[in-house]
Amino acid sequence: MSNIISTLPANPAQRPLLIAFGGVTALFALLLTFGFPVYHSPDDTFTAMILGNGFGTGQSDCLPFMHNMHYWLSAPLIGLYKNYPSQNWYSWLLLFTQYICCIVIFYVQLKRQNWLPAVIFFLLSFSVYVSFLILYLHNSSAAVTAIAAGSLLIWHYADQPKGSKWLLIPAAALLVLGMLLRLHIAIPLLIIAAPFFLLIKGWKKKLEAVAVIAICILLALNAYTLHENYYTRHCPNWQSEEHYRQAKYDFINYNRDTTKASLAAYREDISLVNALILPDTAFIPRERLSMLAREAKTIMPLRTFFSMDTLYWPLVNNRLFLVMALVAMSLFWGRRQNNIIKILSLLAAAALTVYLVMVMKLPEFIIPSFVFTWFVFAASSVKYIYPPAVMNRVITFLIIASFIGWGVVRAVKISNHNKEEFGELWAIQRELSTHPDKLFISIGDNDVFGSFYVFATPEDYPMKNMLFVDQPLSLRNAALLRDFGYTGFNDAILNPNVYFRGPELPALTDHFTHQLQKPVDWGGPLSGFKYSRVCKPMTR
């Protein structure tokens, strides 16, 4: 399809930083004006609510996700929310991170490619990958772009004969920022990027790049040590809640076999955890939860792995990203060494994906993130030369244009879906807020709360009378006791102010029956609630 020559001739663009700034600004303006980005996880909605006082308990930087948001990032947001509550500052932090990182990535490609291919390939990556990571915004997607951009800039510096050491300052800052947003995502992304560092000429330069990355990792780990010390001093009960949360994730995030004979006596507990009914750290003791995770954990059998049910989401749902990788291989074809490096990086991404599928739950953003990281390095490691034949040139750019168009169509479809989901969330929140004297415990159907519009604010969409039971949040206990007389989950059905939102769960019925030693009747959904199934269970 194309002819490729060796790497790194001079870039004809005289102002690559200015072009990168202007181009990325225009693309972000278009996407945020005509698109509809939402949080892709209820965890991010909870984070915004805690920082912006959306739960009515006062603002706090004691977040329930230890390695997902460092207090150096969350603490300044509290002041911004307090003084300017009309803006969702958590969203702006994530979006600004993505914006700066895209400028860096585009800048590197302009420095290493002729300007027109650089523009085309950045449009390609933005329309296919970046738009997905922004329209489904969460702290992991921001961490992905920060780690990819930071490591790319370190590699770019080291791969130049006379690279400016000033580049290492923003590079290290972005890499550390990505790890402060979410620490664990750095490991697989750096593994995928690692083969490209072998292209750096000279062991001295290679070691210098590795040393910078190692220093960044050590800085991030030390920062999280300070983070834990801060939480110890300022956040009551955080250790018990964090340990409890980790025990929960050890159970729900890994492939498990709960039919083992050793687990027969814990069927009720397993049903409750599967339904994410974990309202406080005493509900199912952490020791028992850890034991269940340890006993149930298993590796997916090969027969199950190769079934269509297993392969559908990694392959079919990510077909755009995977096909893009294959097309990019033909566009970024260079000398033998370059080709081997790109193949090694893709194999690393494939191996990581297989591991995640066979051992633990595969997050939806993982495959786009893996391929995006590979793409930005591949697009920068060799210089594209136009095919000499006019027909081949036309075919090449038609293929590229089709992918850009496909990315735009997908962004429109995602935005329309996000609007519908947020419309449902808006209707639920508005309806329940008209009953401020009632506490609604949400026991299912919570996915919609992950579709919170990123420019909506905790002030405009508070959830003061809603309790989600998949995350223990002791910081709410005092306010719930004051406003609703809530003394704990096990006493909830005896409290006249507490109602349940969601489906009737047999596991929960059995639990309350055993706890209260009386039959429990859910009574059916109450009239007057159009957008939620609301029940008031009673003992008989």
Side-chain angles (χ1 to χ4, degrees), residues 279 432 435-443 464-469 479-501 508 512 521-522 526 529 534-538:
L432 298 185
H435 301 273
D437 58 326
K438 297 179 176 64
L439 175 65
F440 298 94
I441 299 180
S442 192
I443 56 173
K464 298 179 181 180
N465 64 336
M466 297 184 66
L467 178 63
F468 300 89
V469 294
L480 293 177
L481 176 62
R482 179 196 66 210
D483 296 337
F484 307 104
Y486 178 82
T487 57
F489 188 76
N490 286 331
D491 299 327
I493 65 172
L494 303 177
N495 187 325
N497 301 319
V498 177
Y499 292 72
F500 286 79
R501 177 197 170 273
L508 204 52
F512 281 129
D521 182 11
W522 286 82
L526 300 177
F529 293 93
V534 176
C535 296
K536 178 56 181 168
M538 307 286 288

Side-chain angles (χ1 to χ4, degrees), residues 106-132:
F106 193 15
Y107 166 80
V108 172
Q109 291 180 348
L110 284 167
K111 291 289 288 184
R112 303 177 71 92
Q113 292 278 6
N114 291 320
W115 73 271
L116 184 57
V119 169
I120 292 172
F121 293 141
F122 183 77
L123 282 174
L124 195 58
S125 64
F126 189 91
S127 62
V128 174
Y129 301 110
V130 178
S131 64
F132 176 86

Side-chain angles (χ1 to χ4, degrees), residues 49-169:
M49 288 290 159
I50 293 169
L51 292 171
N53 194 26
F55 288 135
T57 57
Q59 295 171 294
S60 175
D61 57 1
C62 297
L63 302 177
F65 317 103
M66 183 62 196
H67 295 101
N68 283 18
M69 174 69 76
H70 198 280
Y71 82 94
W72 289 348
L73 302 176
S74 59
L77 298 182
I78 291 178
L80 290 170
Y81 273 116
K82 184 176 182 179
N83 293 297
Y84 308 98
S86 62
Q87 297 294 322
N88 192 335
W89 295 104
Y90 175 65
S91 297
W92 281 117
L93 169 66
L94 301 184
L95 289 170
F96 187 71
T97 298
Q98 301 255 35
Y99 171 72
I100 293 299
C101 294
C102 285
I103 290 176
V104 168
I105 291 169
F106 193 15
Y107 166 80
V108 172
Q109 291 180 348
L110 284 167
K111 291 289 288 184
R112 303 177 71 92
Q113 292 278 6
N114 291 320
W115 73 271
L116 184 57
V119 169
I120 292 172
F121 293 141
F122 183 77
L123 282 174
L124 195 58
S125 64
F126 189 91
S127 62
V128 174
Y129 301 110
V130 178
S131 64
F132 176 86
L133 296 175
I134 291 176
L135 292 174
Y136 285 140
L137 187 68
H138 50 145
N139 76 313
S140 297
S141 63
V144 166
T145 52
I147 293 167
S151 56
L152 179 71
L153 196 55
I154 293 171
W155 173 80
H156 169 64
Y157 155 77
D159 199 37
Q160 297 179 98
K162 296 181 180 180
S164 172
K165 290 188 181 295
W166 289 105
L167 289 176
L168 293 178
I169 296 176

Side-chain angles (χ1 to χ4, degrees), residues 161-238:
K162 296 181 180 180
S164 172
K165 290 188 181 295
W166 289 105
L167 289 176
L168 293 178
I169 296 176
L174 289 177
L175 188 54
V176 172
L177 172 62
M179 289 185 276
L180 294 184
L181 284 167
R182 185 167 187 180
L183 180 63
H184 300 112
I185 194 64
I187 299 171
L189 296 186
L190 290 175
I191 290 174
I192 292 169
F196 289 96
F197 283 77
L198 297 175
L199 293 174
I200 298 172
K201 297 177 175 65
W203 282 104
K204 183 179 179 180
K205 282 282 193 175
K206 287 185 176 72
L207 292 174
E208 186 178 5
V210 171
V212 172
I213 292 175
I215 291 171
C216 291
I217 293 173
L218 290 175
L219 287 173
L221 292 175
N222 185 63
Y224 274 104
T225 300
L226 299 175
H227 187 63
E228 291 187 22
N229 293 337
Y230 177 84
Y231 270 37
T232 300
R233 295 192 305 270
H234 294 89
C235 305
N237 302 321
W238 82 266

Side-chain angles (χ1 to χ4, degrees), residues 466-477:
M466 297 184 66
L467 178 63
F468 300 89
V469 294
D470 60 342
Q471 294 285 355
L473 294 174
S474 62
L475 61 90
R476 297 196 66 187
N477 291 346

